[in-house]
Amino acid sequence: MLTNIDLQGLRVTVTGGTSGLGLALVRQLTAKGACVAFVARTAANVEGVVAETGAYGIVADIGKKDDIYPIAMQVTASLGGVDVLINNASSLGPVPLALLADTDCEELEAALAVNLLGAFRLTKALFGALAASAREGRGALVINISSDAAVNAYPGWGAYGASKAALAHLTAIWDEEAKPDGIRLLALDPGDMDTPLHALALPDADPSTLKAPELAAAEMIEKMLDALPVRARLLAGEHA
């Protein structure tokens, strides 16, 4: 695993940036010199992460269509553009988890609104900024956080799994379509992590059996660098 990486100048946006994997990413990216904007719904939590990391915090809900363009405008205004977008914000749907026959339509819609439509809308809103970054040779990358629930049929995980499966396929198609613009799109599964979302889904799970979000974030950053073109990695000042 890469260590002592200098990401000075790399412009990264993270959704769901005040807990779990998102928070670990904001902390590690800012510590390595990246310019980071992050999105979360709770103002107090956003203010706390801003005070801790110096990242630019945006209070908004990825699941709400009317919030998307204001988010995109704040991202580009605060960072001067965007090189990497990490769509990390996620919704389980029904809590506690429920079989599909017991899942309300509104609960399925809530999972799709955040996990699929939210990621789609924000990527679309920032597509021009990402394409501009690619043209400048900085690299342009979208990472959509996926899950093994996107490929395995786990009872009770229907709303979440269906939304993540749709996101993974959307990512694969868009990666093909965005090649002429120089934009890469990846769907990455960080594994089962000791996060508030996992605890909400499986409150009796043993945290010692789960991956620390800090480790998952470090692995994600390494994959991010592998996916960026060589010039972008040099602009970010990477060194092992």
Side-chain angles (χ1 to χ4, degrees), residues 113-192:
V114 176
N115 301 348
L116 179 64
L117 286 171
F120 168 76
R121 287 169 175 154
L122 186 57
T123 303
K124 190 170 186 291
L126 289 171
F127 197 86
L130 288 161
S133 179
R135 288 193 300 271
E136 294 166 3
R138 300 179 60 94
L141 174 65
V142 178
I143 296 176
N144 291 326
I145 302 301
S146 189
S147 166
D148 61 341
V151 294
N152 296 313
Y154 297 131
W157 290 80
Y160 182 81
S163 64
K164 288 295 187 178
L167 178 64
H169 200 52
L170 179 144
T171 303
I173 293 170
W174 212 343
D175 183 53
E176 291 296 321
E177 294 178 347
K179 284 180 178 177
D181 298 290
I183 302 171
R184 292 289 317 279
L185 290 94
L186 300 175
L188 299 178
D189 173 15
D192 291 338

Side-chain angles (χ1 to χ4, degrees), residues 43 56 61 107 132 146 150 232:
Y56 184 85
D61 187 344
E107 292 170 328
S146 189

Side-chain angles (χ1 to χ4, degrees), residues 92 94 97-100 103 108 111 149 153-164:
L92 288 171
L97 297 178
L99 300 177
L100 283 170
T103 298
L108 177 59
Y154 297 131
W157 290 80
Y160 182 81
S163 64
K164 288 295 187 178

Side-chain angles (χ1 to χ4, degrees), residues 5-11 32-34 138 224-225 228 230-239:
I5 306 167
D6 182 1
L7 299 180
Q8 191 73 34
L10 191 69
R11 304 168 299 184
K32 296 178 187 302
R138 300 179 60 94
M224 176 191 78
L225 287 169
L228 288 170
V230 172
R231 186 178 173 194
R233 294 172 71 168
L234 291 173
L235 282 170
E238 177 201 345
H239 56 86

